[in-house]
Every structure is written in structure tokens, then in C-alpha cells.
Amino acid sequence: MSKKHPIISVVGSSGAGTSTVKSTFDQIFRREGIKAVSIEGDAFHRFNRADMKEELQNRYESGDQGFSHFSYEANELKELERVFREYGETGKGKTRHYVHDDAEAEKYGTPPGHFTDWSEFDSQSDLLFYEGLHGCVVNDEVNLSALADLKIGVVPVINLEWIQKIHRDRASRGYTTEAVTDVILRRMHAYVHCICPQFTETDINFQRVPVVDTSNPFIARWIPTADESLVVIRFKNPRGIDFPYLTSMIAGSWMSRANSIVIPGNKQDLAMQLILTPLIERLVREAQRA
Ligand SMILES: Nc1ncnc2c1ncn2[C@@H]1O[C@H](COP(=O)(O)OP(=O)(O)O)[C@@H](O)[C@H]1O
Ligand SMILES: O=C(COP(=O)(O)O)[C@H](O)[C@H](O)COP(=O)(O)O
């Protein structure tokens, strides 16, 4: 925990919706006058696209078929831990970008599949915002969960996650459905062992559940819309959460367990703002006091 320089960690698999959720956080930061510095998990991949391809090929030939971007060892998690720790202690740090596609290439002036140079965070910020695959990892080498002050999981049920990934990777990253399917299959072992355990570390999980048939996610023509889904919101520690207030403010919501509420999919943005704003305000207030 880094009270003076707090860290928010939003964790989700590829296609889960963490980049989309970032825009809700950005709205809260803007409205509350909070200055956040942001880092993307992809910045801490160990290899650029060509080197990753080569590493995959070498490992495949030597019998390792479970290696992928989800694996701990495909990422610089010690470096990420160092950045979390440095920010928590000093409010300083550095990051870079992994460029996925042409639009990002134009924005950053670096070709797709490469990293930009590292650059320092703005010197004055109220908090650090991380969004990516590994922001709550606890393993033999690192404990990122212990360094983050507010931890959020973004976890659609898996068919929906795959549909979201396939559609996003096809539409903006130029991959075919077959190529994305191969990636999903190759990443499954590490999904179970490196991604899922983080969602017991998170303080709040947002799990989108479609209410339309997604039995064959590989032929879905569009991503189920907000109106075609519900969101289960689960609090690790429900103490202090005002459930009667939330269920009265969010039309159509109900409690499904003592620590979970269910909301209509089109209320996700509102629910996030109602739930997260006071938690973020408290982090910043305590930081200013410290
Ligand atoms: N709540 C949502 N409703 C509908 N589509 C969504 C929702 N969240 C994410 N998506 C879509 O899913 C795809 C993947 O989302 P993205 O935020 O890029 O995932 P991530 O950053 O976790 O890989 C995008 O096409 C995005 O528009
Ligand atoms: O899995 C992720 C996570 O990112 P996201 O959540 O944004 O998908 C990788 O960054 C890309 O897949 C990189 O691979 P590629 O080199 O194929 O772009």
C-alpha cells in the first residue's frame, strides 16, 4: 500500500474491456480534478512482436507449448513491480507504449509491433493508474497486489471475452478470426495459471454476462450490446459498501449474494461512477493528508 502516492490497478484478460473501462476512470478523474498518470500493461511485455514470434517458435520446438503474452516470463513483472514501488515511494516513474496497430503507430511515431522509448511520468500527479494483464500478480518473484491500493477486475464470462477479443483484434488490429482463435488456444494454460488467480486479489470485480446466446463465440456477428447483458459486481470486502443506496440509485439492480449486486448492462458506467468515485476520492484525500 502506498498511501502518499496511491496506485489503482485495473486487471483483465485481452479483450476483457480494460481499455474501455479506463474511459470511465478518466471521466471520474476529470470531474473530480484528479491528475492521474497512466501505464498500460503491454508496456511491460518482454519482447517486441518479431522477437516474441521467434521466442514462441524456439520454445515450441523445444516442447514448451504453453508460452504466451499471458505467461509471467513473457513480461517484465519485476520492472513493473519496481515502477509501482518507485511511484508509491516518490510519485515518480517511467513507462513506454507497445504499439499494436497503424492508428497507434501514427500517434506514437513508432511502427506496429514495437515499443516506444521510455519516458518519465509528469512530475506532479495524484495517483498512478495501471490497466492490463498482470497488475495484481502474486507469485514467487513479485507481489504487485500488495503495492496497489485499489484493485479492480474486469472479467466478462469467457464466451463474451472471446467475442470481444475476436471483434476488436479483427477490426482494429488486422487479424483473422482463425489467427485470434489460435492465440486464445495457445494462451489457455497461462490464462488459468497467471490471469485467473488475480481475480481473488481484486477488491471489486465487474463481470459482464450476456443474456443472448453466445454458445458459439467464433461465429458471433457482433458483440452483445449493453442492453443484451447484465453485470455482476462483486466486492471482496462488503463492509462499508452501502448496498441499499446502490440498488436504489441503479434502476433494475438487485443483490444476488451478500457481497454481490447485479445491474442491467447499460448501467455499468453509472454503477462504476457511483461505486468508484468515493473510493478514489478517499485515496486522494488520504494521500494529501499523508
Ligand atoms: N461493456 C461493453 N459493452 C460492449 N462492448 C464492449 C464493452 N467493453 C468492451 N467492449 C468491446 O470489447 C472489445 C475489447 O475491449 P477493450 O477495452 O479493447 O479490451 P482490453 O483493453 O481489455 O483488451 C472492444 O471492441 C470494446 O469496444
Ligand atoms: O495480449 C496482449 C494484451 O493486450 P490487449 O489487452 O490490448 O490485447 C498483447 O498486448 C497483444 O496481444 C500483443 O500482441 P500483438 O503483437 O499480436 O499485438
Side-chain angles (χ1 to χ4, degrees):
M1 298 285 272
S2 51
K3 286 279 175 275
K4 198 165 174 192
H5 301 286
I7 298 172
I8 298 177
S9 183
V10 176
V11 181
S13 172
S14 181
T18 57
S19 313
T20 308
V21 161
K22 180 175 186 298
S23 64
T24 306
F25 275 89
D26 286 340
Q27 280 182 53
I28 299 173
F29 297 151
R30 185 183 40 77
R31 193 164 1 84
E32 300 300 318
I34 292 168
K35 189 162 173 219
V37 287
S38 297
I39 55 179
E40 296 146 12
D42 305 6
F44 296 85
H45 285 334
R46 181 158 292 162
F47 304 104
N48 67 25
R49 193 173 286 161
D51 292 347
M52 182 69 182
K53 208 169 163 196
E54 197 180 317
E55 182 73 16
L56 271 169
Q57 189 61 30
N58 291 340
R59 285 181 182 244
Y60 203 79
E61 281 163 12
S62 65
D64 175 0
Q65 296 176 7
F67 186 70
S68 78
H69 275 118
F70 287 1
S71 313
Y72 298 139
E73 61 273 26
N75 295 278
E76 300 286 356
L77 296 185
K78 271 193 169 304
E79 181 59 15
L80 179 59
E81 185 182 52
R82 208 193 55 70
V83 170
F84 272 20
R85 182 165 292 116
E86 184 186 357
Y87 185 83
E89 288 168 0
T90 67
K92 295 194 172 92
K94 59 174 186 167
T95 192
R96 60 181 177 177
H97 298 280
Y98 179 85
V99 177
H100 289 96
D101 51 40
D102 291 338
E104 290 179 359
E106 190 152 327
K107 180 171 168 195
Y108 295 118
T110 300
H114 288 267
F115 297 101
T116 63
D117 292 335
W118 293 95
S119 60
E120 298 289 326
F121 296 156
D122 281 351
S123 55
Q124 297 295 325
S125 61
D126 297 309
L127 56 83
L128 173 66
F129 179 88
Y130 166 96
E131 166 259 306
L133 299 170
H134 294 109
C136 288
V137 164
V138 180
N139 65 16
D140 293 343
E141 305 222 303
V142 297
N143 188 341
L144 293 162
S145 176
L147 295 171
D149 304 276
L150 175 61
K151 295 169 274 186
I152 306 295
V154 181
V155 197
V157 291
I158 199 156
N159 279 14
L160 177 57
E161 187 168 286
W162 290 347
I163 293 172
Q164 292 190 171
K165 176 162 178 64
I166 291 165
H167 282 250
R168 194 270 319 271
D169 283 4
R170 260 195 343 219
S172 52
R173 297 188 182 172
Y175 292 114
T176 61
T177 301
E178 291 69 28
V180 186
T181 307
D182 282 347
V183 170
I184 289 170
L185 286 171
R186 179 158 38 77
R187 290 174 167 190
M188 196 43 64
H189 185 270
Y191 183 87
V192 171
H193 293 284
C194 307
I195 304 294
C196 291
Q198 295 180 85
F199 303 121
T200 49
E201 297 291 327
T202 38
D203 300 306
I204 309 172
N205 289 330
F206 291 85
Q207 180 159 64
R208 202 155 86 90
V209 183
V211 289
V212 289
D213 181 23
T214 56
S215 327
N216 184 352
F218 303 100
I219 51 113
R221 269 175 296 162
W222 60 80
I223 298 173
T225 63
D227 285 325
E228 294 171 334
S229 54
L230 300 170
V231 181
V232 177
I233 306 171
R234 177 259 190 186
F235 297 82
K236 183 175 188 178
N237 179 4
R239 206 166 305 146
I241 302 296
D242 191 348
F243 288 106
Y245 169 73
L246 291 175
T247 47
S248 71
M249 293 296 280
I250 305 168
S253 65
W254 74 93
M255 289 192 71
S256 58
R257 269 197 191 161
N259 65 344
S260 305
I261 65 172
V262 183
I263 61 163
N266 58 15
K267 295 286 194 294
Q268 175 169 310
D269 204 56
L270 172 68
M272 284 190 156
Q273 299 203 30
L274 289 174
I275 294 165
L276 297 170
T277 303
L279 300 177
I280 295 169
E281 265 182 339
R282 195 171 70 201
L283 279 183
V284 172
R285 217 176 30 245
E286 284 174 2
Q288 284 163 352
R289 219 177 289 139

